[in-house]
Each structure stands twice: as structure tokens, then as C-alpha cells.
Amino acid sequence: MDKRKAKDLLSEEVARIGKAVSSPKRLELLELLAQGEKTVDALAAEAGIDIKLASAHLKVLKAARLVVAERDGRFIAYRLSGEDVSALWVKLRTVAEEHLVELKVAMDGIFSAPEKLDAETRRSLMSKARRGDVVVIDVRPAAEYDNGHLPFARSMPLDEIRQRIKELPADKDIVAYCRGPFCMMSAEAVALLQEHGYRAQKIADGTAEWQAAGLPLTTA
Amino acid sequence: MDKRKAKDLLSEEVARIGKAVSSPKRLELLELLAQGEKTVDALAAEAGIDIKLASAHLKVLKAARLVVAERDGRFIAYRLSGEDVSALWVKLRTVAEEHLVELKVAMDGIFSAPEKLDAETRRSLMSKARRGDVVVIDVRPAAEYDNGHLPFARSMPLDEIRQRIKELPADKDIVAYCRGPFCMMSAEAVALLQEHGYRAQKIADGTAEWQAAGLPLTTA
DNA sequence: CGCATATTCCAACGAATATTAGAATAATGC
DNA sequence: GCATTATTCTAATATTCGTTGGAATATGCG
């Protein structure tokens, strides 16, 4: 029967996407690229791998059309080929979080307070932020903030908080977010702020999670 | 820095899900399981592979916690471990459909009319079905229909259509669906109905797509 | 108990993959 | 044009994965 061959062909094509997301390193690259366009250089440095290896992995992602490359002067910038790729990364991660006990255990060991958000919490956070009852800070590097951020959030990169801490109101609740549930920057920011007497907490959402929940981002 | 190790650990866990969905055969098994619980036997037969191989692939899926097995008498029935797994399959497929030119070409070669649905089309289909202006038929095996089906749809398995064709109204539009965009049953059903003078068309959605679009199923 | 059926386990092979090192390419700036 | 920087390509390695065949396990039935 020829139906078999047709079906195999279709499954094989989808498996190209599956293969692309079957490597830990590539998933980390996707998470980074979900924050915006980045050079091979920057990706390798942030993922803690050799540039050659990063290049090889990016080639695989490109072959699966999950990312596109564009030369920008001497550098080559990679970016996700669409919003749906970011959503796929979120879906993979949430399925893993839901079903893999090992991942739950690992996360409990790394993050003291998970702070997962549901639709209602997200909504109430936004109305509080709109009224100014809480200050939402984006602790990622400024370039990532510029690429898109939560509504009403202000940029306060982790490595600038020490110097700029005076800019934050001491009498208000501060909510920090970063790249998502696997990112440790918001936790560090919260620790730093609490040391200085601020009422700070983190949320697990990053821009990818926010967008996957159907909520809009602000692109400055 | 220890952050690296933590991050690697988290990525590795998610990659377990990625690895599980990196094989064409396993994806096909997931598509089948999205239609409901099935035995190893049935899965192997429908996927066109050896039982041993099916068992091996199911073991991988089970290790990634995407499926759960339960012994039922002499048989072992597998089922998806959650609705989110079905949604992951849909997401993988839609990303592939969106970005892989090769897949688009392959689908154009296999299916003459794609009939993708958007939110508005789905809504209008349902109101027409509710009013009885169209007859929605589920051409999958009866067991899959029983496991969950589109609202207002009636079961009319592909291999029973010939005998039961008189049950269908000749003066109404008939809309057939099956397991999803990769499934060929609805196309065959439509061809058969049109041969007999019925006004029939297919839609790409299966129950997984319907559910992933946020719409409810009916479980008989 | 012993036989039939359904499924898994084990071993083995070739194919595909991740990683590293070294050479090659491509654009920039003097 | 030449050195510099960023990236990719090629080749080589160890490892993992898909697949198949044969043995083992578990359940139901007479």
C-alpha cells in the first residue's frame, strides 16, 4: 500500500523538528534566541559552549527552519523563524515540567520559590502594574528588553541593579522577571533587592511564556 | 560557576521530551494514541511496524512520560499521559507545516484540498452543525469516536460507509473528519461519497487539533 | 499444569549524532 | 593587500540510536 510511504514521509518531516529539539544545547540556544536576535559569539558564550559547537548546532536548527541567519557586518545574527518556534519551546518545557518528576525535583533544588502564574494572576499583576501598585522590572540585558517586554515593565538589568537600586521605590512591591522558568537572573535580582530591604519577588514567566499565554508584549 | 551545571541539568530533562519526539515512528504512534487508548498490537499494525519495534518505541515514550501503559487482561494498553501531550504533537506538526517547505510540498502531493480551519470557520461549522445544515461525520473507527469526538458529529467509520451510506441525507452538505491533517481517511470518505452523488467535503482537523484550538469535545 | 497469545528483554549490527581540532571563507579596518 | 575577527567547513572520534532476531515473561484458557 502506498499510503504507508506517504505517511512515513509526513512523519519524517515532522521528525526533523523533533530531532532539532532533541539536544539540550540546542534547546538552550532556542531559549536564548527566544529573547531576541543574537550572534553566534554571544550564543556560544551564554550557553557555555565552544563557538564551533554552537555553529554546528545552529546549523541543525537552521536546517530544521527553526532559526534564520542574517549577516550583519562582520557578525552573523541568528533569530527564531517565528513566534510559533518560541511557543514550541514553551510547550516542550511545560510538558516536561508537567510529567518529568526528575525535572520537578531539579527545579525544587535550584529555585526556592517557583511562582508559576495562571491566567488570573497574570491579569491581576497587569492591573496592579498599570495602577503603579507594583513595579515590574525586567532584569535581562537591555537589548533583550528592547526586543520586547512585559507591558508596564521597566528595564533593570541584573548587573546594573547595584548601581541603580536607588531608582526603585522602597515602599512598593517589586516583581522581577527574566528569561523564563529556567533563568536564574530574577532570583538573583530578588535576593539582591531583599538584602537592601526591598519587598521583591520573582515570577516564572519570561516574554515567551507571556506571549504563549496569549498576552501582548510591548516592543519599545 | 555552578549555574552552568544547573542549566545543563534542566535542558537535559527537557531534551528527554525532545528525544522522544525525534523519531518518525514515535510521532506516528503519538498521533495514533491521540485518538485514544490502544494496544501494542493495534499500534504496530496501524503504524506498519513490527510489534517488537513498536514495543521498543513505546518504551522510549514511556521513559519520557509521554505515555502510560496499563495491563488490560492479556493485552497492554497505552495511552497519552495527558492532554498536553496531544497538544505537543499538534504544535510540532503545525511548526513543521509552517516552516518546512518540503512538508508543504509533500502534503500538496498527497491531499488535493488542504482545508485548514481558522477560529471563525470552526465556529460557523459548529453553528451549522447544530442547526442541522451540515452533517458532520467522524470516519474513524468507532472506538476512537467513542473516546471523544467533535460536537454534533456522528460516527460513520470509513469501512462501513458503503453499507451505511443510505443513512446520510442526500440533500445536505456532509463534512468529514478523521485523525487530523496527516490522516487520509476523510479524503477517502469524501471521494466515496462524491461518487455516490453526495455533496461532501473534508476538514483537516481531528480531535487533537480541535481541542488544541480550545474547543470542547463530546465524550459519548 | 501446559499451551497459546501478547509483550518485553537481550544481544548485535549498521547508521546517525555530538564533540573536538584544524583548515577555509568572508567581511572589516589599517 | 594584509592582518584581524567571526564564522563555517571538513575530518575524525566516541557514543547513541533504530532495527532485527531470538529468548524470556506474563496472562488467560482448557
Side-chain angles (χ1 to χ4, degrees):
Chain A
M1 192 166 302
D2 207 49
K3 271 187 266 181
R4 197 84 298 289
K5 274 186 75 177
K7 206 123 227 297
D8 287 351
L9 184 63
L10 299 176
S11 303
E12 238 162 82
E13 289 297 330
V14 181
R16 287 175 58 187
I17 306 293
K19 285 196 212 333
V21 297
S22 69
S23 142
K25 302 281 160 63
R26 286 199 286 272
L27 288 170
E28 203 170 334
L29 291 174
L30 285 180
E31 188 198 15
L32 289 167
L33 287 169
Q35 316 305 319
E37 189 171 274
K38 285 179 191 288
T39 66
V40 182
D41 218 11
L43 288 166
E46 293 214 72
I49 57 179
D50 190 89
I51 294 186
K52 293 171 191 178
L53 183 54
S55 175
H57 280 306
L58 287 166
K59 188 182 172 183
V60 176
L61 290 173
K62 193 166 79 173
R65 309 295 162 81
L66 295 183
V67 305
V68 291
E70 197 176 2
R71 186 174 274 277
D72 177 22
R74 216 168 359 158
F75 298 82
I76 293 183
Y78 278 83
R79 62 170 198 278
L80 297 187
S81 57
E83 229 178 75
D84 55 343
V85 178
S86 168
L88 174 61
W89 150 248
V90 172
K91 193 88 208 162
L92 275 166
R93 210 201 48 239
T94 51
V95 168
E97 287 174 322
E98 180 66 27
H99 297 290
L100 295 177
V101 186
E102 296 87 339
L103 179 54
K104 283 182 201 156
V105 172
M107 290 198 70
D108 283 351
I110 296 168
F111 303 102
S112 37
E115 278 302 346
K116 297 262 162 221
L117 306 187
D118 56 27
E120 172 50 31
T121 316
R122 288 192 180 101
R123 208 172 15 241
S124 98
L125 173 63
M126 271 308 101
S127 56
K128 275 189 269 183
R130 184 184 297 110
R131 289 196 307 267
D133 289 349
V134 301
V135 175
V136 178
I137 61 173
D138 182 324
V139 303
R140 299 173 301 161
E144 299 182 9
Y145 172 87
D146 292 342
N147 188 255
H149 55 82
L150 266 57
F152 312 110
R154 49 192 289 187
S155 178
M156 179 67 65
L158 179 57
D159 47 10
E160 295 177 18
I161 291 188
R162 252 178 242 278
Q163 297 95 57
R164 297 175 50 189
I165 200 161
K166 290 278 159 53
E167 296 177 24
L168 297 171
D171 59 337
K172 283 189 178 152
D173 281 314
I174 295 171
V175 171
Y177 76 89
C178 50
R179 290 170 178 161
F182 284 6
C183 178
M184 285 155 237
M185 292 193 286
S186 60
E188 287 181 52
V190 166
L192 202 58
L193 289 171
Q194 287 178 344
E195 270 175 37
H196 287 75
Y198 287 83
R199 289 204 313 273
Q201 67 176 118
K202 61 166 254 184
I203 55 175
D205 276 12
T207 53
E209 288 72 24
W210 196 260
Q211 207 162 28
L215 298 166
L217 298 181
T218 306
T219 45
Chain B
M1 191 167 301
D2 208 48
K3 272 187 266 182
R4 195 85 298 288
K5 273 185 77 178
K7 204 125 227 295
D8 288 349
L9 184 64
L10 298 177
S11 302
E12 238 162 84
E13 288 297 330
V14 181
R16 287 175 59 185
I17 307 293
K19 286 195 184 63
V21 297
S22 69
S23 142
K25 303 281 161 64
R26 285 198 288 272
L27 288 170
E28 203 171 334
L29 292 174
L30 285 180
E31 188 198 15
L32 289 167
L33 287 169
Q35 316 305 319
E37 189 171 274
K38 284 178 191 289
T39 66
V40 181
D41 217 9
L43 288 166
E46 292 214 72
I49 57 179
D50 189 272
I51 295 186
K52 292 173 192 174
L53 183 54
S55 173
H57 279 307
L58 288 165
K59 187 184 173 184
V60 175
L61 290 172
K62 194 166 79 172
R65 310 293 161 80
L66 295 183
V67 305
V68 291
E70 197 177 2
R71 188 174 274 276
D72 176 23
R74 214 168 0 157
F75 297 82
I76 294 185
Y78 279 82
R79 62 171 199 277
L80 297 188
S81 55
E83 229 178 74
D84 55 343
V85 177
S86 169
L88 174 60
W89 150 247
V90 173
K91 193 87 207 164
L92 275 166
R93 210 202 48 239
T94 52
V95 167
E97 286 174 321
E98 178 68 27
H99 298 290
L100 295 177
V101 186
E102 296 88 339
L103 180 54
K104 285 181 200 159
V105 172
M107 290 199 70
D108 283 351
I110 296 167
F111 303 103
S112 37
E115 278 300 347
K116 297 262 161 220
L117 306 187
D118 55 27
E120 173 50 31
T121 316
R122 288 192 179 101
R123 208 172 13 241
S124 97
L125 173 64
M126 272 308 101
S127 55
K128 276 190 271 186
R130 184 183 298 110
R131 289 195 307 267
D133 290 349
V134 301
V135 175
V136 178
I137 61 173
D138 182 324
V139 302
R140 301 174 299 161
E144 299 182 9
Y145 173 88
D146 292 340
N147 187 255
H149 55 82
L150 266 58
F152 313 110
R154 50 191 289 186
S155 178
M156 179 66 66
L158 179 57
D159 47 9
E160 296 177 18
I161 290 187
R162 253 177 242 277
Q163 297 94 59
R164 298 176 48 191
I165 199 161
K166 290 277 159 53
E167 296 177 22
L168 296 171
D171 60 337
K172 283 190 179 152
D173 282 313
I174 294 170
V175 171
Y177 76 90
C178 49
R179 290 170 178 162
F182 284 6
C183 177
M184 285 156 239
M185 292 193 287
S186 61
E188 286 183 53
V190 165
L192 201 58
L193 289 171
Q194 287 178 344
E195 271 176 37
H196 287 76
Y198 287 84
R199 289 204 313 273
Q201 67 175 119
K202 58 165 257 186
I203 55 175
D205 277 12
T207 52
E209 289 71 26
W210 195 259
Q211 206 162 28
L215 298 166
L217 297 181
T218 306
T219 45

